[in-house]
Amino acid sequence: MIKQGFPQTHCTLANGMHGSVAHAPHLTRAHVSIAIAAGYLDEPPNLPGLAHLLEHVVTTAPLAASPNSSLLTWFAQHQGSLNARTDDHVTDIHFTVPLEVLEQAGLTAAAQLATPNMPRQVIHNEVAAIDAEWQARHSSSTMRELAAFAALADPQHIGAGCRHGNAQTLGQDLARLHDALAAFHQRHYHAGRVSIALISPWGIGPMIDLIQRMAALFKPPIDGDGTRTIAPRWGRLHSVDAPAVTSGVASGMTLLWPLPPSLSDSQFLALTQLAGAVNQGLLIEQLPPSLNDYCATAAPSGATDTFHLQLSGHLDATQWEALAVALSKRLNSLLAAQPSQDESLWQPPTNTEQLAPAWFTHARHQALARRFSGTSSTSPFSSSSVRFLVPDVSTQSKGCMTEARQISATSIQRWCGHYGVSDDFISLADTAWAACFIPKAMMTLAPLAEKQLARQGIVVQQRQLAQGSWVMTLGDDAVAAMGTLLESASLTAKTPANGLLAQQLLQRLMPFPDTPALWVSHSNGAEAVGQALRLLVSQPIAASGDECPSLGTIREAANASTAIMRTLRLPGTPAQRWLLALAEQRHSAAFFQQARYEHQLGYVAAVRRGDGAPCSLGYVVQTADNAEGVAATLTSITDRLWQTFDEHLPSMPVPPDTPLAALITQWQSLLAGTTQPLHRLPLDQFALNEQVSAVGDQGRWQTHWLDSTGRYWVSDCSYKP
């Protein structure tokens, strides 16, 4: 198993703010988080969603130094990316930028957060955007989980209501809403509540100097600001129905251990370290045979004052209490045995694919730790205080009917060797791995197989996609481990429905083969893995799900939502792959602005590409409005973007920043019909210029549709019901 570690320094910044910097010499971009110790549960009780609205406003309002840009558009124009998240106790704005604009980006973002411009028109637009987000997410498993957390809370606690916000909760007089935002900002967005975290290839000294200058832009702490402590939220109710799952049968349960209201920073961070260690298989012996997997989270979104354990499989109600006792004892013993955390080194979890989200999570945890005050001698895991989320079988959903079928095992694509991944990470030269792909079927691993291999030092990565599923193993004996996984795995025809509808559509941009595929780093053991894959795909795949509703039923469904994606598809020459990478960069900001604000097409507005042969570029929106009209507007916007295409030399695609990411990038390139990922291909500027004018002749435009009932279809022209 390959572990990464980066030298880390914590420091006190201007006005007493907290700073963290980590040195990662191999990065080509910097990742920065500005976290504010304020969230949903700090809002006025009568304004649910105010913290969320402020997050939206500060990222979309005009900048003082650049009135024609917001933070979101500024970062897109500078080949960076910015996003934000409001949780119950912490709000953070995080971004990734090229190194050459890091200083300007940091100061621009800090200035906007410290002294934001908040025009009333922007507030009006963002209330509409939050309402569209609410409509897009309100039936998602995440929102149902938040509702379950709220049901467990004390009815008098502010956390007993959903604080996401929507047009009804925020639809007040704009003048009053502006004043409420200004008051919330003044009370919380000051140096006493803000922390900055930066990881980059810069030296520790220059990074600290930059975040010191960023910190100096914030107002001093407010005297007597003693509201950062976390008030206990949990009521007397010990179990409620969990969110519906998509498998159609009862599947496990969730356990929540409320944390003591007073913890030290080190105690809380030890719990986050414990969650990572537990996910490496340390609870296997405590679980009954009917459970097949679990996942621990130290501070889940929506209930960050708890330790969260999601169990998968069947669990009889008579086993709940006994299991809670066993798990509580085990977790307490594991916590007591945790080694002291080395504050001078940041080590992301072993299964980290991208450093940016891992760093942002690390920064949020640090900000949350500072909201706990003092120390506690109370054991955090008590079976008498644990809460249960129990599956509600009656409301679980099923997908559309799939036909029974069998995959042809006669033609399995095979690759053996490194294919240049050691050019990205030299550490991969002495590492073994294996990966396999199965089209149009979902692969289910044996119970706790991933955790068992983790205890042997082998990382397992798995993807369930609309086009099929794949699994990868990395580490010593990874090839043999893959054979063992395949021998005990099973296949189903179920198509996963993860994330927003728009995210599900974007998955379809990446091309995948119609036949099973296998990639191993070494020939030793490859034949046995190939045989195991052949035996697995030779199994018949049974039908599953319910009959899909008719289009008439779809249109009559309450709160129906539709994701619409217009795609450009090209054969996938190197120049065409470069062209779509350039278009993704150039069009993202303009498309977001036009789709979301000028035409109000919905909460989601994104440009993404699928790299391969063929290659595709997708422009996606999600709406609850008239789908035909939205599709026509989407076509108009994309046509205009290509009529004024900018041919300036693109910046290089970002290389992978972890060994696991390097493997996955190469694996996806092989599956997509190419040998090399784009970041390792030379740029031919002449061929690129030729492709700009040839798009109309060589490209194929299509419109993809996915509605909230799971119905998917494609059209080559305007939508016709």
Side-chain angles (χ1 to χ4, degrees):
M1 182 185 299
I2 298 175
K3 281 192 174 183
Q4 290 183 292
F6 305 99
Q8 177 181 234
T9 297
H10 300 285
C11 56
T12 300
L13 304 175
N15 299 325
M17 285 171 55
H18 180 84
S20 299
V21 296
H23 177 59
H26 73 289
L27 290 182
T28 60
R29 295 192 162 203
H31 309 308
V32 185
S33 169
I34 304 176
I36 301 96
Y40 292 127
L41 303 188
D42 297 290
E43 299 167 339
N46 64 334
L47 273 178
L50 186 70
H52 191 190
L53 178 59
L54 181 57
E55 169 225 301
H56 274 241
V57 170
V58 297
T59 55
T60 59
L63 302 174
S66 181
N68 294 324
S69 298
S70 65
L71 277 182
L72 283 170
T73 56
W74 189 95
F75 276 86
Q77 290 161 358
H78 290 80
Q79 287 74 57
S81 61
L82 177 139
N83 210 334
R85 172 172 165 172
T86 304
D87 217 324
D88 47 352
H89 292 293
V90 174
T91 298
D92 73 293
I93 286 78
H94 49 267
F95 54 88
T96 295
V97 288
L99 298 175
E100 57 269 23
V101 295
L102 171 56
E103 180 178 8
Q104 184 184 6
L107 295 173
T108 298
Q112 175 68 352
L113 266 64
T115 53
N117 180 23
M118 294 190 285
R120 293 182 184 180
Q121 184 59 47
V122 171
I123 297 172
H124 172 79
N125 292 343
E126 291 313 309
V127 169
I130 284 177
D131 190 67
E133 181 180 355
W134 165 260
Q135 296 297 334
R137 294 183 181 274
H138 83 278
S139 61
S140 68
S141 60
T142 298
M143 296 300 287
R144 293 196 300 272
E145 185 177 58
L146 288 176
F149 291 157
L152 284 171
D154 185 325
Q156 305 304 314
H157 191 275
I158 192 172
C162 181
R163 311 297 296 182
H164 179 284
N166 52 49
Q168 183 176 357
T169 67
L170 293 169
Q172 302 198 1
D173 177 83
L174 284 179
R176 293 180 59 195
L177 202 51
H178 175 276
D179 292 344
L181 287 170
F184 190 85
H185 179 273
Q186 182 179 15
R187 183 176 183 185
H188 300 296
Y189 281 56
H190 57 75
R193 287 177 173 259
V194 178
S195 57
I196 302 174
L198 163 63
I199 184 170
S200 83
W202 283 14
I204 296 293
M207 284 192 285
I208 292 177
D209 178 69
L210 173 58
I211 63 174
Q212 284 280 15
R213 294 164 60 198
M214 294 167 61
L217 298 173
F218 287 88
K219 295 177 181 178
I222 295 177
D223 292 337
D225 178 20
T227 60
R228 282 179 288 170
T229 56
I230 295 176
R233 86 170 77 200
W234 304 105
R236 296 183 178 180
L237 194 62
H238 279 267
S239 66
V240 295
D241 289 341
V245 296
T246 57
S247 60
V249 296
S251 180
M253 65 187 304
T254 299
L255 283 74
L256 294 164
W257 282 270
L259 300 180
S262 180
L263 288 172
S264 67
D265 293 9
S266 59
Q267 286 173 314
F268 177 79
L269 293 175
L271 287 168
T272 68
Q273 189 178 11
L274 174 65
V278 162
N279 287 331
Q280 298 302 302
L282 298 182
L283 293 183
I284 290 177
E285 289 81 4
Q286 280 65 45
L287 301 182
S290 58
L291 293 180
N292 53 49
D293 204 0
Y294 70 83
C295 181
T297 309
S301 180
T304 53
D305 53 348
T306 66
F307 191 93
H308 172 279
L309 188 66
Q310 175 68 51
L311 303 174
S312 299
H314 174 74
L315 192 67
D316 191 272
T318 59
Q319 298 175 286
W320 296 358
E321 298 299 335
L323 182 60
V325 171
L327 290 174
S328 297
K329 290 180 179 178
R330 177 62 170 159
L331 289 169
N332 277 323
S333 65
L334 289 172
L335 181 61
Q338 277 290 110
S340 298
Q341 198 166 17
D342 184 358
E343 290 295 317
S344 66
L345 189 71
W346 176 61
Q347 286 189 300
T350 54
N351 62 347
T352 296
E353 182 180 342
Q354 300 294 341
L355 281 185
W359 178 251
F360 300 146
T361 298
H362 177 58
R364 276 194 297 271
H365 282 164
Q366 289 181 315
L368 181 59
R370 286 185 291 279
R371 291 212 61 168
F372 291 96
S373 62
T375 59
S376 172
S377 58
T378 305
S379 298
F381 303 105
S382 169
S383 58
S384 62
S385 65
V386 69
R387 267 68 173 175
F388 302 91
L389 301 185
V390 186
D392 181 3
V393 181
S394 64
T395 62
Q396 291 172 23
S397 59
K398 299 180 181 180
C400 294
M401 178 67 74
T402 56
E403 297 180 358
R405 61 178 184 274
Q406 190 166 342
I407 300 171
S408 172
T410 57
S411 56
I412 295 179
Q413 295 188 64
R414 298 168 183 260
W415 299 278
C416 182
H418 282 212
Y419 286 86
V421 292
S422 57
D423 293 340
D424 294 324
F425 282 91
I426 191 63
S427 57
L428 290 172
D430 300 316
T431 305
W433 63 83
C436 70
F437 169 76
I438 297 177
K440 300 177 182 178
M442 300 299 107
M443 191 185 323
T444 301
L445 303 182
L448 296 170
E450 183 177 340
K451 301 293 188 298
Q452 291 165 348
L453 289 177
R455 294 182 71 169
Q456 301 171 31
I458 295 175
V459 174
V460 178
Q461 286 289 102
Q462 190 176 19
R463 294 286 190 280
Q464 306 281 24
L465 306 167
Q467 305 95 322
S469 57
W470 60 257
V471 63
M472 174 180 286
T473 55
L474 169 65
D476 293 340
D477 298 322
V479 178
M482 176 61 75
T484 302
L485 282 180
L486 295 178
E487 288 171 359
S488 57
S490 60
L491 300 180
T492 65
K494 189 71 178 175
T495 299
N498 299 320
L500 296 176
L501 294 176
Q503 294 168 333
Q504 296 173 42
L505 264 188
L506 289 170
Q507 285 185 3
R508 299 175 184 268
L509 285 172
M510 186 64 69
F512 285 93
D514 293 327
T515 60
L518 174 66
W519 179 34
V520 293
S521 57
H522 300 84
S523 58
N524 292 341
E527 187 56 41
V529 175
Q531 178 63 18
L533 178 58
R534 189 177 299 108
L535 289 174
L536 177 60
V537 299
S538 66
Q539 301 175 8
I541 304 174
S544 64
D546 293 332
E547 183 178 355
C548 291
S550 66
L551 185 59
T553 304
I554 291 169
R555 287 182 170 170
E556 294 167 3
N559 298 317
S561 185
T562 305
I564 308 168
M565 179 173 69
R566 192 169 191 234
T567 61
L568 170 62
R569 183 179 171 119
L570 292 166
T573 66
Q576 290 169 345
R577 294 169 65 194
W578 272 103
L579 174 65
L580 294 193
L582 172 59
E584 181 185 34
Q585 286 183 4
R586 296 289 187 264
H587 291 175
S588 289
F591 179 73
F592 182 89
Q593 179 69 30
Q594 294 178 45
R596 185 161 168 181
Y597 297 113
E598 295 180 18
H599 297 284
Q600 291 84 43
L601 298 189
Y603 163 65
V604 179
V607 184
R608 298 288 186 272
R609 64 187 167 92
D611 187 43
C615 56
S616 297
L617 187 70
Y619 304 79
V620 67
V621 296
Q622 183 170 330
T623 181
D625 296 328
N626 175 17
E628 295 94 330
V630 170
T633 304
L634 178 62
T635 298
S636 175
I637 293 172
T638 53
D639 285 347
R640 287 198 305 272
L641 289 173
W642 277 92
Q643 288 166 4
T644 58
F645 192 81
D646 185 351
E647 299 181 42
H648 291 310
L649 185 70
S651 60
M652 288 293 292
V654 180
D657 55 16
T658 67
L660 184 57
L663 286 178
I664 292 175
T665 300
Q666 179 63 55
W667 172 230
Q668 290 175 330
S669 290
L670 294 173
L671 291 175
T674 64
T675 303
Q676 286 186 299
L678 185 60
H679 73 273
R680 285 200 246 120
L681 281 181
L683 170 64
D684 185 335
Q685 183 66 52
F686 178 76
L688 177 63
N689 292 337
E690 283 191 328
Q691 286 300 323
V692 174
S693 58
V695 164
D697 298 326
Q698 299 179 3
R700 179 185 181 188
W701 287 96
Q702 291 182 315
T703 301
H704 302 246
W705 311 74
L706 179 65
D707 62 35
S708 50
T709 67
R711 185 171 182 265
Y712 168 72
W713 68 103
V714 182
S715 59
D716 286 311
C717 53
S718 60
Y719 173 62
K720 294 180 180 179

